[in-house]
Amino acid sequence: MSQPSPQDPARARHHSGTDADAGPDAGPDVDAGADARAEVEVEARPGAEEKGDGLRERLVRTGVALVDAEGAQALTLREIARRAGVSHGAPRRWFPTHLDLLSAIAREGFAELAARVAEADREADRTDAGPRERVETLTRVYLGYAAERRGMYELMFRHDLLESGRLGLRETSLPLFARLAALVAELRPGTDAVTAAGALWANLHGLAQLRHWGSLSLATGSDDPAPFVRAALDAHLGPAEPTR
């Protein structure tokens, strides 16, 4: 579910062996935007950098707050360390590369999305919902998450920035797609469910992006995702059976 984008400078620097944090963050702090930054500052404890999981969790927690407030482009090691109140080299003790820390932050996003999907499944179990209803619910959960956690959502699917095979990220993200594919297989037995689910997912991801950028309403005159979701589901899964 990654989106086309220019190659990220941080990734290029990582692969060339240079500091992934070089850039505007490397210089002195500026006062502009200080109030906004303060909203996501994690309480600093100078001279008291935790060891082990305490520091690791604080860095991830700081990164989650930062991506929610300012987006994935703000997630440099130096800025996360500054907001966590530790030295700029401290993150590397627990996250050897920038990609490792980004992956740990994205894993938190996938865990939350998975929890929302699991809750929706439990509700569907209580109402004895069929596979089509479950796909519709999954779609609402996905688009709702994309709208509510915009920065995290964009990071989660930037696999050009993430190490999906490390830190359990792949084990957290792939079951979500597997759940969609299983539902598609129920609705369209005998078809390539993985391909059909991938096409539907790409359609939904594009819908979320175009809606966020304002392109959807500009082109269609409507910002309501419901008719576009129905059209996407009908196109990939076939028309819904009429309700009685």
Side-chain angles (χ1 to χ4, degrees):
M1 290 187 183
S2 58
Q3 55 186 333
S5 63
Q7 182 170 342
D8 185 80
R11 181 175 176 83
R13 285 192 295 272
H14 167 73
H15 287 296
S16 65
T18 57
D19 186 358
D21 296 320
D25 287 4
D29 291 339
V30 295
D31 292 335
D35 291 341
R37 290 196 302 269
E39 294 179 3
V40 294
E41 291 283 359
V42 174
E43 180 181 0
R45 286 181 277 174
E49 294 180 7
E50 302 101 318
K51 296 181 179 180
D53 289 343
L55 176 57
R56 184 187 186 284
E57 291 172 3
R58 182 147 64 105
L59 291 167
V60 173
R61 189 169 66 248
T62 300
V64 170
L66 182 57
V67 76
D68 281 338
E70 299 186 21
Q73 73 280 354
L75 292 176
T76 66
L77 285 173
R78 185 178 296 272
E79 181 63 8
I80 291 172
R82 187 185 74 80
R83 293 178 187 239
V86 298
S87 65
H88 71 267
R92 293 194 184 277
R93 300 174 191 173
W94 313 109
F95 301 100
T97 70
H98 189 203
L99 303 188
D100 285 326
L101 180 51
L102 291 181
S103 299
I105 294 167
R107 189 179 189 279
E108 296 296 307
F110 277 115
E112 183 189 357
L113 180 56
R116 294 190 187 192
V117 170
E119 175 57 33
D121 267 340
R122 287 191 290 271
E123 179 60 29
D125 288 340
R126 286 192 287 270
T127 61
D128 197 25
R132 174 74 180 218
E133 292 173 276
R134 290 174 185 266
V135 171
E136 291 172 355
T137 298
L138 183 58
T139 297
R140 288 193 295 271
V141 170
Y142 183 80
L143 293 178
Y145 188 88
E148 294 168 24
R149 300 287 307 278
R150 190 66 211 173
M152 178 65 82
Y153 171 79
E154 291 187 347
L155 173 65
M156 287 162 59
F157 300 109
R158 287 292 305 274
H159 287 290
D160 57 329
L161 298 181
L162 305 176
E163 292 283 6
S164 61
R166 295 169 63 87
L167 306 174
L169 180 60
R170 184 171 292 159
E171 290 77 6
T172 309
S173 60
L174 290 183
L176 293 170
F177 179 75
R179 177 60 181 146
L180 177 61
L183 291 170
V184 171
E186 286 189 64
L187 288 165
R188 298 187 60 188
T191 64
D192 182 349
V194 171
T195 298
L200 175 57
W201 185 9
N203 204 158
L204 296 174
H205 191 83
L207 175 60
Q209 293 289 59
L210 292 173
R211 188 182 181 207
H212 172 69
W213 294 330
S215 303
L216 187 67
S217 60
L218 179 65
T220 67
S222 174
D223 189 48
D224 179 8
F228 304 107
V229 169
R230 286 194 298 271
L233 294 179
D234 288 348
H236 295 289
L237 305 177
E241 294 182 3
T243 56
R244 295 180 179 178

